[in-house]
């Protein structure tokens, strides 16, 4: 899991349980030159499997599918909080586009012979926990959450698409295409901050919490899904990632996040 | 407004303000053989207008559009309350279908030269009030609300489609087509009641509140939109409705509602 490598440099409000888990993984990674999972949970994933039906690809599509479904639900709730009917409709349209993405991934899973429900199930609880921990208190926090969350997710999946087979990579790029959220969020957030500059501090803090919580939840997901880790260590294409590669990737994600916050004039 | 005529027989928990408003309208209806609005607010609707761009049709499509948008939002919230991931996905699919209906009506409004936002605006507040007054406490109340609400809405629009021009009537029939909600709600509600018969009382009460509140809100909407009343009194096709016609229609709606509750073994 790429996000682990940067764990010691983390300055966000990461829960203690996640910090401990990350530390344990880092120790593991140093003890074995290339990181590997405890033997007891590895064997099933070491079977020779075709690329497209490998557990890693199913896991990846499963987490992506439930991610889109959850985003659809959260965006719709945000839509109902919109200050104007125009914004309500605009956000509802984005939610509908997210649902269409969910259906695309779901159909792809079915075409691979996988059950979409079973593929999503392991990620329901961690993703719900992420969303429940970070329930926006108002319309602006909702917009920032979508802007920051979509941005990090997109960067992350773009980074790891080099580890996927071509067909999966194409689908992932497609379903992560911007549904108009970014421009919309920037325009509404910038206007709100310009109108009332003192909200910038609260929003900057909220942005840091979002980034920290995403790292923490991604770590917990990785801990429970060895197949996803395997995607990096025995990728279907390209070379296996080293600890240095993973650290570099987390750094790139962090820099991109800072740039996105900077667009709004917010400290990250 | 057809629902007014039955006001005196209402036994539901209708708010006092609505009851007073209904009483005033009934007095008006008796004083003038055919009911008419106070002259001060009528003139603008008495201009010769083409059928399809009449304020009544725009109003009708506006309330229908916002109704679908609001249903989409509520169904999505209900989806996130689903006890299983399968039910979550099933309900999210229905929500997406409701959003597609919203877009259809919205496009039709635009093709008539009307602004969908402006057409929906007058109905935002009463429909939000209806939904906020009746926020389901759990998954089952959410299902019953959709089942009862969709049923009454469909019956009502089917009744009044004879007063519409053919093109509008066709669109209305199309967007009110069942997206699978009815069968889904019946199956889940029946199973829940069978599993725990003592919830039947609470759900029956909830069904009565829903019906009462729909009548009450429909009355308030009618009070503020003379063009909608005009649809009955000077319909583009067919004959103007009399007070007797309206009473008969409310009775038919009430009977249908009772039948729907009966399917679940619930008293209405």
């Amino acid at each position: 899991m790429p996000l682990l490598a940067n764990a010691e440099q983390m300055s966000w409000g990461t829960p203690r349980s996640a910090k401990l888990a990350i530390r344990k993984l880092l120790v593991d990674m140093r003890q074995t030159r290339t990181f590997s999972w405890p033997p007891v949970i590895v064997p099933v994933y070491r079977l020779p499997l075709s690329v497209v039906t490998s557990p890693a690809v199913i896991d990846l599509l499963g987490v992506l599918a439930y991610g889109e479904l959850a985003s659809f639900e959260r965006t719709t709730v945000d839509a109902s909080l919109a200050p104007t009917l125009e914004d309500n409709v605009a956000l509802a349209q984005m939610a509908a586009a997210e649902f269409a993405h969910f259906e695309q991934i779901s159909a792809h899973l079915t075409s691979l012979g996988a059950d979409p429900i079973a593929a999503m199930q392991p990620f329901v609880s961690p993703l719900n926990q992420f969303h429940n921990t970070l329930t926006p208190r108002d319309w602006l926090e909702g917009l920032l959450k979508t802007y920051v969350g979509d941005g990090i997710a997109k960067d992350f999946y773009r980074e790891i698409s080099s580890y996927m087979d071509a067909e999966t990579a194409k689908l992932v790029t497609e379903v992560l295409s911007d549904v108009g959220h970014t421009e919309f969020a920037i325009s509404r957030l910038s206007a709100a901050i310009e109108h009332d500059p003192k909200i910038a501090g609260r929003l900057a803090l909220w942005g840091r919490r979002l980034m920290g919580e995403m790292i923490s939840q991604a770590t917990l997901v990785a801990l429970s899904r060895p197949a996803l880790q395997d995607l990096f260590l025995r990728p279907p294409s390209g070379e296996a990632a080293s600890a240095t590669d993973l650290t570099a990737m987390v750094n790139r994600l962090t820099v991109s996040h800072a740039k996105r916050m900077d667009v709004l004039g917010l400290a990250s």
Side-chain angles (χ1 to χ4, degrees), chain A:
Chain A
M1 187 65 202
L3 300 173
L4 307 179
N6 204 32
E8 287 185 340
Q9 293 98 300
M10 285 201 309
S11 58
W12 311 288
T14 314
R16 192 177 148 72
S17 59
K19 278 195 183 133
L20 287 176
I22 293 167
R23 191 153 307 147
K24 187 181 170 305
L25 278 172
L26 283 168
V27 169
D28 284 350
M29 288 179 89
R30 281 175 198 142
Q31 282 170 352
T32 54
R33 264 182 65 90
T34 57
F35 171 73
S36 70
W37 286 91
V40 63
I41 46 170
V42 169
V44 67
Y45 299 101
R46 289 280 153 91
L47 295 171
L49 286 159
S50 84
V51 167
V52 290
T53 56
S54 83
V57 169
I58 304 301
D59 262 8
L60 190 71
L61 294 172
V63 68
L64 202 54
Y66 190 70
E68 288 287 338
L69 185 63
S71 289
F72 156 72
E73 290 173 3
R74 304 292 160 159
T75 305
T76 306
V77 171
D78 287 351
S80 68
L81 299 174
T84 67
L85 187 51
E86 283 92 335
D87 283 359
N88 183 332
V89 170
L91 224 56
Q93 271 159 344
M94 296 175 210
E98 283 163 342
F99 187 75
H101 288 162
F102 157 76
E103 290 209 303
Q104 250 180 298
I105 311 167
S106 193
H108 188 66
L109 276 163
T110 306
S111 77
L112 296 179
D115 172 15
I117 299 289
M120 289 191 285
Q121 201 73 65
F123 308 105
V124 170
S125 165
L127 273 162
N128 285 356
Q129 199 180 320
F130 168 73
H131 283 299
N132 293 338
T133 306
L134 294 169
T135 303
R137 277 176 305 172
D138 60 17
W139 162 248
L140 295 175
E141 288 192 359
L143 284 183
L144 190 63
K145 183 176 170 185
T146 304
Y147 173 60
V148 163
D150 282 7
I152 297 171
K154 203 170 302 174
D155 284 348
F156 172 69
Y157 285 107
R158 194 182 299 133
E159 288 272 358
I160 64 168
S161 65
S162 60
Y163 299 96
M164 302 173 205
D165 61 288
E167 201 192 355
T168 306
K170 186 168 166 278
L171 174 74
V172 168
T173 308
E174 215 172 301
V175 300
L176 287 171
S177 66
D178 190 6
V179 296
H181 249 138
T182 302
E183 200 186 330
F184 182 81
I186 292 174
S187 105
R188 296 304 186 273
L189 285 165
S190 302
I193 294 167
E194 193 178 343
H195 178 73
D196 180 9
K198 70 177 192 294
I199 60 170
R202 172 167 70 90
L203 290 175
L205 187 65
W206 176 243
R208 282 196 290 279
R209 277 191 63 203
L210 290 167
M211 179 74 180
E213 199 62 38
M214 280 190 90
I215 302 281
S216 148
Q217 284 297 331
T219 308
L220 293 174
V221 168
L223 277 172
S224 65
R225 306 303 294 177
L228 278 179
Q229 295 268 346
D230 238 31
L231 191 68
F232 294 96
L233 303 176
R234 302 188 307 121
S237 66
E239 294 199 358
S242 68
T244 315
D245 292 339
L246 297 180
T247 309
M249 179 163 117
V250 176
N251 287 342
R252 285 193 296 275
L253 293 177
T254 310
V255 168
S256 286
H257 169 68
K259 277 186 188 156
R260 271 187 296 273
M261 294 295 277
D262 203 46
V263 168
L264 302 171
L266 299 177
S268 61

